[in-house]
Amino acid sequence: MHEATVASLVLDSIVKQAAASGGVATTVCVRAGAFRNIDPDSFQFAFDALKTEFAATARCRLNFELVPAVAICSGCGKQYHPHVDNAFACPDCGGGIGKLLSGEELELRNLTIDLIDSPEVITHA
Amino acid sequence: MHEIADEHLLENILHSNDELALHNRQHFDDDDVFAINFMSAPGAGKTTLLCDTISRLSECMRAVVIEGDMVGDIDAQRLRDLGIEAHQISTGRSCHLDAKLISRVLHQVPLKEVDLLCIENVGNLVCPADFLLGEHKRVVLLSIAEGDDKPLKYPVIFRNCDTVIFTKSDLLDFVDFDVERARQSVLNLNPNAEIFVLSVKTGQGMGDWLQWLSQAVAQYKKRPTGVA
C-alpha cells in the first residue's frame, strides 16, 4: 500500500512535467533509501499498475535504485551500515544511529520525455 | 518526435507535502499552538490515551483533536462524548494523513483558543512515517500486545519520531514482551528518543507522560518570538 502511495506521487510529478514540455515520458529513475519503507518489487508492480491511468506515463519505464543506509554511530562516531540482523546497532560499540548519511532519499531523477509536437528542450532550476 | 533526457532533474518526491507541512507549522506558531502527531498500528490505544490525557490536563490547558481514520468517526465520537473537541478527517483510500488533509480541516479548528493540538493519525506503522503534517513533536505508540520486535520490523517510524510510548503495560503479566529489548531497539534507531511505559487502565506511568507533555507545551509557549 505504501508503494502505491509513493508510485502515485511519482506519476503525478511525471504527468506535470510531461505536460509542461508537451510530451510523454519514456523512462524515469526513482532512488529510494533503505529507510524509506519501499520494497523494489512492490514499487515496480504499483508503478506499472498505475501508470496506465495517464497517457503521459503509460509507456514510461521505471529504473528503481535502492540506496543503502549509511550511519554515523552515536557512540563511537564510526560509519556503519545499520541492519536489522544487528538490531540497527553499530557492530563495533553497540551504539545507535546518530546520523544517517544516506538511506532516507526519495528522489525522482533522469526523466526522459518524447516530445510529440515540437523539439523544445525543458529545463529545471 | 524528439526525445530528451533531463539529467539534472533531482526532485524530492515528498517536496510538495513538506512545503504544505511548513505552511501548517506557520499557522500553529502564529496562534501559539503546540501540535503533536500521534502514530501507531491500529489498536495500540491512541484514542484511549488521548481521552485520558486530555481529560486529566483539562484544567491547565485546552486541547483539541484532529482524528484521522479511513472510514467513519467512531474515535472522534468517543472524544466528543467526554466533552473534547474533535474534528474528523476520513481519508477514504489513503492509509495516512498528509499535510494537505490537515490544512483543509484547520479552518474549522479554533487555533487561537487552543494550547495543544493532538493529531491522531490513521492506524499504520508504515506510511505516516513519511508524511510530515507540520507538527512540533511526533509520538509513536506501541502496545505491549503487539510484541517487542516491532521497532525492528518498522524501523522508519521509530527512527523518525521524538517520543515512543509502550502502552497497555498492564498486559506485561500476560504477554512475553521484553521492555528492555524494545527500549534498546528504539534507542539503536533513535538514540535521542524519549520512552515511556504506561497503562491508561491502571494509571501506571501516566504521571511521567503527563509531566513530559505539560513541560513540552510550557516550554513551547515560552519560546522566543518567531522561533518554533
Side-chain angles (χ1 to χ4, degrees):
Chain A
M1 196 156 193
H2 184 59
E3 285 77 4
T5 302
V6 177
S8 289
L9 292 172
V10 168
L11 289 165
D12 286 346
S13 178
I14 297 173
V15 166
K16 278 184 197 151
Q17 298 191 48
S21 53
V24 295
T26 54
T27 61
V28 69
C29 174
V30 169
R31 296 179 81 239
F35 269 69
R36 279 296 183 182
N37 284 326
I38 307 285
D39 175 71
D41 291 339
S42 299
F43 188 76
Q44 182 77 57
F45 180 82
F47 184 89
D48 289 339
L50 295 171
K51 71 181 185 182
T52 55
E53 289 183 15
F54 310 99
T57 57
R59 291 190 300 117
C60 187
R61 192 161 45 82
L62 170 70
N63 296 315
F64 184 85
E65 185 184 338
L66 189 62
V67 184
V70 178
I72 299 278
C73 172
S74 62
C76 66
K78 287 184 185 164
Q79 282 190 28
Y80 74 104
H81 293 281
H83 195 273
V84 65
D85 290 346
N86 200 31
F88 300 100
C90 169
D92 285 336
C93 76
I97 300 172
K99 185 181 176 191
L100 274 173
L101 299 178
S102 71
E104 292 182 306
E105 298 81 356
L106 194 49
E107 300 164 353
L108 191 153
R109 281 194 170 187
N110 296 355
L111 179 61
T112 308
I113 291 178
D114 261 358
L115 294 181
I116 300 165
D117 299 319
S118 67
E120 67 176 295
V121 175
I122 59 169
T123 56
H124 292 269
Chain B
M1 190 173 281
H2 180 72
E3 189 168 272
I4 58 168
D6 187 348
E7 303 287 348
H8 305 294
L9 174 64
L10 171 58
E11 182 180 302
N12 176 356
I13 291 163
L14 297 169
H15 175 74
S16 57
N17 183 76
D18 292 350
E19 289 276 297
L20 258 177
L22 280 176
H23 183 74
N24 291 344
R25 169 74 76 93
Q26 192 60 53
H27 278 300
F28 301 149
D29 291 339
D30 287 347
D31 290 330
D32 220 19
V33 179
F34 191 65
I36 301 181
N37 180 3
F38 289 85
M39 300 173 285
S40 79
K46 294 184 295 300
T47 312
T48 300
L49 180 68
L50 290 178
C51 285
D52 199 56
T53 298
I54 294 171
S55 297
R56 286 177 185 237
L57 293 177
S58 62
E59 292 196 357
C60 55
M61 66 176 74
R62 181 167 180 214
V64 300
V65 179
I66 294 176
E67 270 292 338
D69 281 297
M70 293 180 79
V71 180
D73 67 346
I74 292 172
D75 289 347
Q77 202 53 55
R78 278 177 65 191
L79 289 150
R80 289 177 193 137
D81 287 347
L82 294 171
I84 298 166
E85 183 172 333
H87 298 266
Q88 181 71 49
I89 297 175
S90 294
T91 61
R93 283 170 52 187
S94 182
C95 54
H96 59 275
L97 292 174
D98 61 31
K100 189 192 290 181
L101 289 168
I102 295 298
S103 95
R104 278 187 198 148
V105 82
L106 275 187
H107 69 275
Q108 300 170 24
V109 182
L111 288 179
K112 289 189 190 315
E113 302 159 26
V114 169
D115 303 301
L116 172 66
L117 173 65
C118 299
I119 302 170
E120 181 179 336
N121 219 310
V122 180
N124 181 346
L125 283 175
V126 184
C127 304
D130 280 335
F131 291 85
L132 300 176
L133 308 177
E135 68 274 38
H136 298 98
K137 293 282 185 192
R138 313 187 98 202
V139 175
V140 175
L141 278 64
L142 169 63
S143 72
I144 298 304
E146 292 168 65
D148 53 24
D149 56 353
K150 293 304 170 290
L152 300 182
K153 295 176 85 169
Y154 300 91
V156 179
I157 203 161
F158 288 94
R159 165 81 186 156
N160 294 328
C161 69
D162 303 287
T163 301
V164 175
I165 303 177
F166 301 151
T167 58
K168 308 187 188 182
S169 65
D170 51 293
L171 296 178
L172 280 168
D173 290 339
F174 310 101
V175 178
D176 291 330
F177 185 103
D178 184 335
V179 172
E180 281 316 304
R181 181 189 182 214
R183 187 193 303 273
Q184 193 55 56
S185 297
V186 170
L187 292 176
N188 288 350
L189 289 158
N190 189 351
N192 296 320
E194 300 192 60
I195 301 174
F196 297 93
V197 185
L198 59 79
S199 164
V200 172
K201 193 167 186 171
T202 66
Q204 182 194 29
M206 281 298 293
D208 289 344
W209 156 246
L210 293 174
Q211 189 180 15
W212 176 87
L213 181 55
S214 302
Q215 284 178 354
V217 175
Q219 270 179 7
Y220 169 75
K221 289 190 169 275
K222 279 194 279 186
R223 75 196 186 285
T225 309
V227 178

